[in-house]
Amino acid sequence: MSSVPPPDRSDGEPAPSISDEQLEAFLREAADGGGGSAPKEPSARARMVARRLREEAEPEPWRAPQGSPRGDGRGRRRLVGAVVGVVVLAALAVVAVRPSLVLDRLPGGDDASATPTLAAESARPTGTPGEAAGAERATREHPFRGSPAERWAEGADAIEVPAAKPLSGMSKDDVAFALRRTKELLVAANLDPAVLRGERPDEALDVLDPKQPELLPKLRRSLSDPDADHDPLRLFTRFDPAETRLAGDVVKVRGRMTLAAGEPGVVKVDADYTFVYPLVRAGDADGPVARTIIRRVLTLTLNDPAKWNVTEGKLLVEKYFSEYGNTDCDVYDGYLHPGFPDDDGPGGARPTGPPTDPYDRSRPLTGSGPGGCGQVTRT
């Protein structure tokens, strides 16, 4: 009787002559060094079973993620991806607050070729700052474009306090206090958003000594009832909120603060700073940007209360001078009134003085000049 050949398998291999269990038992014995002859088995199937046994015998990688028992790296890439995701989200949060931090550095960005911020001023400049690159007009997104102030530092951080040292019989701590209070006055009088929109500069007034004759009463009168003789703009920067508002929240500042010894028990702090304010009309969503530039030069003193009739912790004002660029002439309502590029003409009296560059910090500002209202060569 003829034998019947085993049925063909779909993969082309003949049907096994032994079961999988028998084959696996033999292979385990062979791996353990046991004897016994191998049963007849097609080589492809033997390789497949042997490979499965090796995989079961090898230990799983330590904490290999599920779905990657061989530790092929996909789990690590997912972990790195999660960390990168956190970093990217943090970066996106910064960009949402201030997109220029990234956009200004992209190739082709508006400020991709902008020069870095100027180093702090350490001495009086020897000349007028050059023209800004290009002649582009300021925009609401770039309110300092076309101005030397584009490279200046911003806000209170631009007012750098020099190192304190014992001076004129006053301790290092006393001198540091005088420097710190001078900066507080400058910030409160020229950078406080509430003061800029016309509110009372109470923090600035609090720096000053009430024992200084006439000063505080005169300043308070100027705030409540301004006129030509009582003008708060001589010490404080104020804009009419019904007329103008800041374009953004950045004011550019450049200048320096220095120390000098006065009489015994007197420390002098000299401050010379220029502030540049970008402005738009109140209630105008699409109008142009104007810039008003104010330079202030003042000397404050801290006097030893053991030697002088002063209030401890308060400063005296020895002198203060101001120069304004781009505001109406002969208007004494306690506010600055900037001109805009699309104005028909000045709102106040016509300027009669000589042309002046408001960015020129090389000129001394002493209050002994011709005075009057001149023309600015640029804003």
Side-chain angles (χ1 to χ4, degrees):
M1 184 175 180
S2 62
S3 61
V4 179
D8 289 338
R9 290 166 53 110
S10 60
D11 58 4
E13 293 281 354
S17 56
I18 62 173
S19 69
D20 285 350
E21 290 77 7
Q22 289 174 314
L23 179 59
E24 290 176 10
F26 166 75
L27 291 173
R28 286 193 180 93
E29 290 176 2
D32 294 339
S37 58
K40 301 292 184 181
E41 178 63 14
S43 61
R45 180 166 175 264
R47 288 194 300 270
M48 178 185 69
V49 175
R51 184 171 63 250
R52 187 171 70 245
L53 289 173
R54 285 196 305 271
E55 291 175 351
E56 291 175 356
E58 290 181 7
E60 183 177 321
W62 179 68
R63 297 189 65 179
Q66 186 175 2
S68 181
R70 300 290 301 154
D72 60 5
R74 286 179 292 177
R76 288 191 295 276
R77 283 196 293 270
R78 281 196 293 270
L79 177 60
V80 171
V83 174
V84 171
V86 172
V87 174
V88 170
L89 288 176
L92 290 176
V94 173
V95 174
V97 174
R98 193 166 182 185
S100 63
L101 291 176
V102 170
L103 298 180
D104 290 354
R105 289 159 175 77
L106 290 177
D110 286 342
D111 291 336
S113 60
T115 52
T117 301
L118 287 175
E121 188 177 280
S122 58
R124 178 183 295 174
T126 57
T128 303
E131 294 290 336
E136 295 177 287
R137 177 171 291 183
T139 66
R140 293 180 181 232
E141 293 76 20
H142 300 280
F144 301 99
R145 176 178 285 163
S147 158
E150 193 168 24
R151 297 183 60 196
W152 293 6
E154 301 176 2
D157 289 343
I159 303 176
E160 297 189 1
V161 175
K165 60 183 179 181
L167 195 64
S168 193
M170 306 284 275
S171 70
K172 180 180 178 180
D173 288 343
D174 289 334
V175 174
F177 176 82
L179 292 167
R180 184 172 70 251
R181 291 294 274 170
T182 299
K183 176 172 180 174
E184 289 172 0
L185 174 64
L186 290 167
V187 171
N190 300 285
L191 297 173
D192 185 331
V195 174
L196 295 182
R197 59 176 178 261
E199 297 183 21
R200 284 181 59 86
D202 290 330
E203 290 186 19
L205 294 171
D206 185 61
V207 174
L208 305 177
D209 193 337
K211 290 186 177 181
Q212 183 167 5
E214 299 184 4
L215 179 64
L216 281 176
K218 188 173 183 177
L219 290 175
R220 292 191 176 104
R221 158 71 193 277
S222 73
L223 291 164
S224 60
D225 188 18
D227 58 31
D229 294 326
H230 301 84
D231 188 355
L233 300 179
R234 293 173 183 170
L235 192 60
F236 310 115
T237 303
R238 306 169 80 235
F239 297 95
D240 185 349
E243 179 183 309
T244 57
R245 63 177 178 82
L246 282 181
D249 57 0
V250 173
V251 175
K252 293 286 189 148
V253 184
R254 186 153 183 82
R256 62 192 181 279
M257 190 185 302
T258 56
L259 282 168
E263 299 178 60
V266 178
V267 172
K268 295 187 177 186
V269 181
D270 295 302
D272 181 347
Y273 286 91
T274 299
F275 303 85
V276 183
Y277 303 89
L279 302 151
V280 294
R281 294 187 181 94
D284 187 351
D286 302 312
V289 174
R291 288 189 292 257
T292 290
I293 303 97
I294 300 178
R295 183 180 175 191
R296 299 200 184 276
V297 175
L298 64 158
T299 298
L300 304 176
T301 70
L302 178 68
N303 293 39
D304 185 352
K307 299 178 180 179
W308 299 86
N309 182 24
V310 294
T311 304
E312 185 173 1
K314 303 293 185 178
L315 302 185
L316 301 176
V317 179
E318 183 176 291
K319 61 185 178 181
Y320 58 107
F321 307 112
S322 298
E323 183 178 76
Y324 322 107
N326 189 23
T327 186
D328 289 344
C329 294
D330 299 336
V331 178
Y332 301 104
D333 61 355
Y335 299 112
L336 294 153
H337 298 277
F340 286 84
D342 58 354
D343 285 341
D344 295 332
R350 288 198 169 275
T352 57
T356 303
D357 184 351
Y359 292 98
D360 182 4
R361 293 186 43 77
S362 66
R363 297 178 293 107
L365 191 62
T366 62
S368 60
C373 186
Q375 301 181 46
V376 293
T377 58
R378 57 179 171 177
T379 64

